[in-house]
Amino acid sequence: MKTIAKIWGAFMILLFATLFFSINANASTVSLVPNNESAATQNKATLQKAINAASTGETITIPKGTYYLSGEIMVKSNITIQGEDMYATKLYIDKGFVSPYIQIPADTGLGVSNLTMKNMSMGMNPNTVPTIDINADAIQEYGKGTALDTNKKNFSFIEISNKYSGKYTPNTPRTNKNLTFSNLILDGELKGDSGIFLGDAENVTVTNNTIKNIGAKNGISLQTSSDITIKNNTITNVGRSSIFMYLGNKNITIENNNMKDWLQRFGVLHYFQLINEGMTKEKASQTTNNDSGIYSYGPANEGIFIKNNQLSVSEGKKNPNNAVLAKYGVTNTQSIMYSAIRLPGTKDSEVIGNDVQLTSPDAYSFLDVNIKSEGTLEQGSKNIYIKQNTFTVGSSGTIMYPFRIFNAEADENSNGIIIDENTIDIQGDIWNYFKTIVEVRKGDPGLRGSIDTQSLTFINNLISVKDWPIKTSKWLYVNGCKLDVLEFWGNRFKDNTPEILDIIGSENINKTYTMKLNPYFLNYEQLANPYITGTATKDSIYKITRINDIAQANIVDGKVMMYLKPDQVKGKDRVEIKLMKENTLAERTTNRAYILYFNQ
């Protein structure tokens, strides 16, 4: 019996040892020299050797400590690179972590897959990587390929991409797949190009990172990528945009991120880049830059979902580029201004539940759309829902054009730009001549020539504008172009804001569909006259109204009368009335509604 017990005990020890070593066989810790800049080349070589030798599924851990590395670090597929601690593992680099296929076109099929990087901090080497100081005379060299920007060009903390051929094709393969970047602190210290750059990528998660002080350009950059989730990140003080999506991106979710103070240096850099590429100073001085916190720079961007983010500029902050440009003879003191969200060349997208605060004397727009071209490809913005956001300019700020619509198109269901159920609170000045909330205008001619805006919907918004002069202000200006279809109803005005419904350029609108429902006093009408009444455009395309898919009434000869059942409004302060073109099951999923708030 004792013999059996000994044999059983030995077996169990061997089993546990086998399990232990099998579990840890795919984990390794790399030994780097800490706190020693002279060991940077050695540390890079050591880490690169560990990456090259790593087996499929292996996790490489960098211990706590501060380490200098010199030279590009080539990553590869099917590994995890992590720090022992997000805050206590810190790397100072002078080149980034890059794909080994960065100079190979995507159509070769080569890329990086199943890579995770997490739990560490990174900074630019303070002694070998030049600071991008827009106040220094050396900034005039930007774009010449000199020492100032040679180290910056394509130098991001992390760059997983393939070589761009210079010509976009819709079927560009996504060769970099299944990537995760989480719990990283990337502090550019006013150096470098971007935080994370992803090209030809698919199925990527970028979450819970802090990206700050990026010198030249963007916190996160995407190009020809799809199925990307950017969530719960904090991105502050970047050169250009917090999140930038250039060309051919699809199904991008940007959610619950906090973005603050973008476009801090790129205005000056772009000015000198234009000059150093051959543009005259006079022409360069006439250029403007209103790059945004979130910038979907098409064409061929679709399925961009921007939800529940915070975008803000430090209260009262002027854009720092303008004071610098003035030293070089640029007379326009607002040539560089802040926009929050830009969606040119973008379709089938949503902007929902975001909090935008642009309390700056240099605020340009909350949101704008336009046409974009690339080679023979051209696309206007269409089927974009802007819903349940809060857009704010405080008393110390001004804004040029709250919403600016250039060349917007419509999809097969007549969905163009839909601005619905937002809170628009402007306590500073609106700085266009007619102080309009929305301007529709013709942009520069594209490949197809100038395109008129096809469809604009502005409904159910709550508007507060301080000192909005009723005699000279208009809510909409159709400027020098045609607007095919305008839908306008259900908008409310608060805080003594006058109900300004006038339009400049109404003769340029082909069709206008409006509805005006009479005030409804819930307690009284429910007893005395339980009908919602009002008027609508006589030739409106909307013929049927529904409440909770139960009550129904036809809109006849421009008149609306709907019976309201008590159980439909009990305990509510409003009712959502769906508007449909026909009484069909498909039309019951309509996305147009009139939200009527009750008077108590």
Side-chain angles (χ1 to χ4, degrees):
M1 196 71 177
K2 290 182 179 179
T3 302
I4 294 174
K6 288 180 179 179
I7 293 172
W8 178 253
F11 171 75
M12 293 302 294
I13 291 171
L14 179 62
L15 176 63
F16 282 122
T18 301
L19 288 173
F20 175 81
F21 285 111
S22 64
I23 290 171
N24 288 276
N26 282 340
S28 62
T29 299
V30 62
S31 179
L32 304 178
V33 179
N35 304 314
N36 187 346
E37 187 176 355
S38 63
T41 301
Q42 175 187 338
N43 282 341
K44 183 266 179 181
T46 301
L47 179 57
Q48 189 66 68
K49 184 177 180 180
I51 291 171
N52 295 344
S55 59
T56 296
E58 183 169 336
T59 296
I60 300 169
T61 299
I62 303 172
K64 296 177 183 177
T66 299
Y67 308 99
Y68 291 85
L69 295 93
S70 181
E72 285 184 337
I73 301 103
M74 296 283 186
V75 299
K76 71 175 188 178
S77 298
N78 304 310
I79 64 170
T80 295
I81 303 171
Q82 67 176 16
E84 183 181 357
D85 184 273
M86 178 179 180
Y87 302 98
T89 301
K90 183 158 188 178
L91 310 180
Y92 280 106
I93 62 176
D94 60 15
K95 292 288 184 181
F97 286 79
V98 301
S99 160
Y101 309 110
I102 203 165
Q103 296 300 328
I104 299 175
D107 57 15
T108 60
L110 296 173
V112 173
S113 299
N114 306 312
L115 169 71
T116 295
M117 293 185 65
K118 62 181 181 179
N119 299 341
M120 68 182 82
S121 298
M122 287 191 242
M124 303 285 180
N125 188 314
N127 299 315
T128 60
V129 181
T131 298
I132 297 180
D133 181 0
I134 60 174
N135 291 291
D137 290 341
I139 206 69
Q140 299 175 72
E141 301 296 309
Y142 189 83
K144 284 186 176 180
T146 57
L148 176 68
D149 64 337
T150 299
N151 288 333
K152 305 292 147 314
K153 193 172 184 181
N154 298 323
F155 174 26
S156 302
F157 281 104
I158 299 168
E159 181 171 358
I160 309 299
S161 67
N162 292 73
K163 183 179 180 181
Y164 178 48
S165 66
K167 182 179 180 181
Y168 171 73
T169 56
N171 298 317
T172 299
R174 313 300 200 211
T175 51
N176 303 295
K177 301 179 180 181
N178 308 325
L179 312 174
T180 299
F181 305 97
S182 65
N183 298 314
L184 301 172
I185 300 174
L186 307 179
D187 186 351
E189 299 172 353
L190 307 186
K191 309 169 189 289
D193 189 82
S194 292
I196 298 174
F197 183 99
L198 301 172
D200 309 309
E202 180 180 70
N203 191 25
V204 181
T205 299
V206 182
T207 184
N208 296 320
N209 302 291
T210 297
I211 304 174
K212 58 185 178 180
N213 306 322
I214 301 301
K217 294 184 183 174
N218 312 306
I220 299 170
S221 297
L222 304 179
Q223 181 173 307
T224 56
S225 295
S226 60
D227 300 309
I228 312 294
T229 297
I230 301 172
K231 189 173 183 179
N232 297 332
N233 302 284
T234 298
I235 306 173
T236 58
N237 187 19
V238 296
R240 190 179 187 183
S241 294
S242 302
I243 300 174
F244 187 86
M245 296 161 279
Y246 173 65
L247 185 63
N249 298 284
K250 184 175 182 180
N251 296 334
I252 313 298
T253 298
I254 301 170
E255 186 173 4
N256 290 329
N257 302 284
N258 188 342
M259 291 155 277
K260 187 173 184 178
D261 292 344
W262 52 90
L263 194 57
Q264 296 299 289
R265 287 162 290 282
F266 187 70
V268 173
L269 299 181
H270 186 242
Y271 171 78
F272 284 112
Q273 182 176 348
L274 292 175
I275 292 173
N276 290 325
E277 289 176 351
M279 184 179 288
T280 65
K281 287 188 176 181
E282 181 182 4
K283 189 170 183 180
S285 297
Q286 296 170 2
T287 62
T288 59
N289 191 311
N290 310 305
D291 289 349
S292 55
I294 298 176
Y295 199 168
S296 175
Y297 190 110
N301 281 352
E302 60 180 296
I304 311 298
F305 303 105
I306 303 170
K307 300 180 179 180
N308 303 322
N309 300 281
Q310 291 184 315
L311 296 98
S312 65
V313 174
S314 295
E315 185 169 355
K317 182 180 180 67
K318 292 184 177 181
N319 192 289
N321 291 274
N322 292 311
V324 176
L325 291 174
K327 295 192 304 183
Y328 297 101
V330 177
T331 57
N332 181 356
T333 59
Q334 289 187 308
S335 61
I336 313 299
M337 301 184 74
Y338 297 111
S339 295
I341 300 170
R342 303 188 74 183
L343 304 170
T346 301
K347 68 177 183 177
D348 304 335
S349 298
E350 297 178 351
V351 179
I352 298 178
N354 301 282
D355 183 6
V356 175
Q357 299 186 39
L358 294 183
T359 302
S360 165
D362 293 327
Y364 187 76
S365 72
F366 294 130
L367 186 143
D368 66 71
V369 302
N370 205 338
I371 201 168
K372 278 295 176 185
S373 303
E374 175 77 13
T376 59
L377 176 66
E378 182 174 81
Q379 180 177 298
S381 303
K382 60 183 174 181
N383 192 27
I384 296 176
Y385 284 82
I386 303 146
K387 188 167 184 175
Q388 295 175 346
N389 304 281
T390 298
F391 298 106
T392 303
V393 173
S395 58
S396 61
T398 62
I399 188 165
M400 188 78 74
Y401 301 100
F403 298 92
R404 208 171 200 205
I405 313 299
F406 290 87
N407 306 320
E409 301 182 19
D411 66 7
E412 62 276 8
N413 295 314
S414 302
N415 293 318
I417 308 301
I418 301 100
I419 304 172
D420 182 11
E421 207 178 341
N422 301 280
T423 298
I424 302 165
D425 187 357
I426 302 173
Q427 297 307 301
D429 193 16
I430 300 176
W431 211 49
N432 63 71
Y433 183 79
F434 294 109
K435 299 186 181 298
T436 54
I437 297 290
V438 183
E439 184 187 49
V440 176
R441 69 182 301 162
K442 184 178 295 184
D444 294 332
L447 299 174
R448 297 168 290 174
S450 295
I451 296 174
D452 291 321
T453 291
Q454 296 174 359
S455 177
L456 170 65
T457 301
F458 191 85
I459 55 177
N460 303 313
N461 298 289
L462 178 61
I463 301 168
S464 175
V465 180
K466 184 181 180 182
D467 300 328
W468 207 11
I470 193 168
K471 291 184 178 180
T472 58
S473 297
K474 315 296 175 185
W475 83 268
L476 171 66
Y477 183 17
V478 182
N479 185 359
C481 64
K482 291 289 185 182
L483 171 57
D484 189 32
V485 175
L486 170 66
E487 298 177 324
F488 177 74
W489 60 73
N491 299 290
R492 298 176 297 138
F493 302 85
K494 71 168 190 173
D495 297 336
N496 299 317
T497 300
E499 188 173 346
I500 295 176
L501 305 177
D502 294 338
I503 298 171
I504 293 293
S506 58
E507 69 278 4
N508 295 324
I509 303 174
N510 292 332
K511 299 175 184 177
T512 300
Y513 300 129
T514 64
M515 179 181 290
K516 177 68 173 177
L517 299 182
N518 296 318
Y520 192 91
F521 293 86
L522 185 61
N523 295 330
Y524 175 77
E525 256 86 7
Q526 280 292 291
L527 296 173
N529 185 27
Y531 286 93
I532 295 174
T533 60
T535 58
T537 305
K538 287 188 177 182
D539 62 347
S540 174
I541 57 175
Y542 299 104
K543 308 296 184 184
I544 309 293
T545 61
R546 283 188 172 272
I547 300 175
N548 300 337
D549 207 29
I550 299 174
Q552 176 180 327
N554 293 334
I555 300 174
V556 180
D557 197 25
K559 295 181 180 179
V560 180
M561 178 174 282
M562 295 187 67
Y563 180 71
L564 196 60
K565 296 180 180 180
D567 61 351
Q568 293 176 315
V569 296
K570 186 177 180 180
K572 298 180 179 179
D573 65 346
R574 68 179 195 173
V575 63
E576 183 175 325
I577 302 165
K578 292 185 177 180
L579 306 178
M580 296 172 292
K581 299 174 184 178
E582 302 291 344
N583 187 22
T584 64
L585 181 62
E587 284 292 342
R588 295 181 191 184
T589 61
T590 180
N591 49 41
R592 301 291 197 275
Y594 190 122
I595 298 176
L596 177 66
Y597 286 81
F598 301 131
N599 291 328
Q600 301 293 335

